[in-house]
Every structure is written in structure tokens, then in C-alpha cells.
């Protein structure tokens, strides 16, 4: 199924018409983040519980300092690190860890696309 959407890059607007899997890759290539990535990124860092504070700070450090140096290669929306943050926030430590590991196992170009937290 194809998806058509406009993206803004500085003062330019472009229309992308591609299937869901390719759309995520194209959008991330040009804008570095998808809308869902930005929604998760804009969530405040929780103060409590302390384990969640440490996990979110670690993931944000990775996103800001390491991920961009590796390149925008993620084929999922949201990106794996943002999916991981959301899974820890919503499902707790053990279930969040399980969901993160399973997501990383699926990380291949043929599996990409929108992957909502279950």
C-alpha cells in the first residue's frame, strides 16, 4: 500500500509517494527523524522511577551522540532506540527489555515499516 505525504526540508516542500517500508527510509534519509520519532523525543525525561530515568537518559545519550555517527539506517518507524524508550515507559523494565530485544532481532531492511508498540 502506497503512502503519499509532504515533507518540509528548510524552505522546500517535497511530496513522497512510496510504500510504507520505503517511505520511512526516505523520510528519515532527508529529515533524520519521522513524526513519531519526534513525538517520543519530545517526551520529558521521567524523574521516577530511578531505573526509568537512567534508561531514558542512556537511550537519549545514544540517540544524540552515537546514532547519528552511525548514519540514519533504521528501517522502522519509530526508530529502534525510540521504540525501546517507549516500551520501557509503557511496559516496564522486563517487558520493555523483551520488546527491545525482539525489535533488534527483526532489524533488517525487508522487515521495515511502521511498527507500533504492542
Amino acid at each position: 500500500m502506497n503512502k503519499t505525504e509532504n515533507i518540509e526540508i528548510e524552505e522546500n516542500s517535497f511530496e513522497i509517494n512510496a510504500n510504507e517500508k520505503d517511505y520511512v527510509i526516505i523520510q528519515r534519509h532527508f529529515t533524520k527523524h519521522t513524526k513519531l520519532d519526534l513525538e517520543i523525543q519530545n517526551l520529558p525525561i521521567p524523574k521516577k522511577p530511578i531505573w526509568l530515568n537512567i534508561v531514558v537518559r542512556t537511550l537519549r545519550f545514544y540517540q544524540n551522540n552515537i546514532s547519528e555517527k552511525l548514519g540514519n539506517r533504521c528501517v522502522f518507524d519509530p526508530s529502534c532506540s525510540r521504540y525501546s524508550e517507549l516500551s520501557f515507559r509503557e511496559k516496564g523494565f522486563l517487558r520493555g527489555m523483551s520488546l527491545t530485544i525482539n525489535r533488534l532481532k527483526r532489524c533488517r531492511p525487508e522487515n521495515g515499516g511502521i511498527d507500533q508498540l504492542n
Side-chain angles (χ1 to χ4, degrees), residues 45-63:
I45 295 174
K47 294 184 190 269
K48 292 185 179 180
I50 191 68
W51 68 265
L52 184 57
N53 178 284
I54 293 168
V55 167
V56 171
R57 286 185 183 279
T58 302
L59 287 167
R60 299 270 176 103
F61 176 83
Y62 167 79
Q63 292 161 357

Side-chain angles (χ1 to χ4, degrees), residues 90-108:
E90 293 186 8
K91 304 294 184 178
F93 185 79
L94 293 177
R95 184 73 177 130
M97 184 65 73
S98 175
L99 288 166
T100 298
I101 290 168
N102 287 333
R103 168 61 104 71
L104 292 172
K105 285 181 187 177
R106 295 190 320 263
C107 189
R108 291 181 201 85

Side-chain angles (χ1 to χ4, degrees), residues 1-112:
M1 173 183 245
N2 276 4
K3 178 177 183 175
T4 302
E5 192 168 314
N6 288 326
I7 61 169
E8 304 276 331
I9 304 171
E10 295 176 8
E11 65 276 346
N12 299 310
S13 179
F14 300 92
E15 183 176 277
I16 299 174
N17 182 3
N19 67 44
E20 265 188 12
K21 287 182 182 182
D22 293 336
Y23 178 81
V24 171
I25 296 167
I26 293 166
Q27 184 179 16
R28 190 167 279 121
H29 176 77
F30 286 107
T31 63
K32 295 187 181 182
H33 306 286
T34 65
K35 289 178 185 176
L36 192 50
D37 285 341
L38 293 174
E39 285 176 22
I40 297 167
Q41 178 179 310
N42 290 328
L43 292 172
I45 295 174
K47 294 184 190 269
K48 292 185 179 180
I50 191 68
W51 68 265
L52 184 57
N53 178 284
I54 293 168
V55 167
V56 171
R57 286 185 183 279
T58 302
L59 287 167
R60 299 270 176 103
F61 176 83
Y62 167 79
Q63 292 161 357
N64 295 326
N65 298 293
I66 299 170
S67 177
E68 290 196 12
K69 290 180 176 84
L70 298 175
N72 290 317
R73 300 182 302 191
C74 190
V75 296
F76 286 107
D77 186 25
S79 68
C80 290
S81 60
R82 288 187 175 82
Y83 178 92
S84 179
E85 179 180 331
L86 197 59
S87 69
F88 283 110
R89 285 175 179 270
E90 293 186 8
K91 304 294 184 178
F93 185 79
L94 293 177
R95 184 73 177 130
M97 184 65 73
S98 175
L99 288 166
T100 298
I101 290 168
N102 287 333
R103 168 61 104 71
L104 292 172
K105 285 181 187 177
R106 295 190 320 263
C107 189
R108 291 181 201 85
E110 66 269 10
N111 291 338

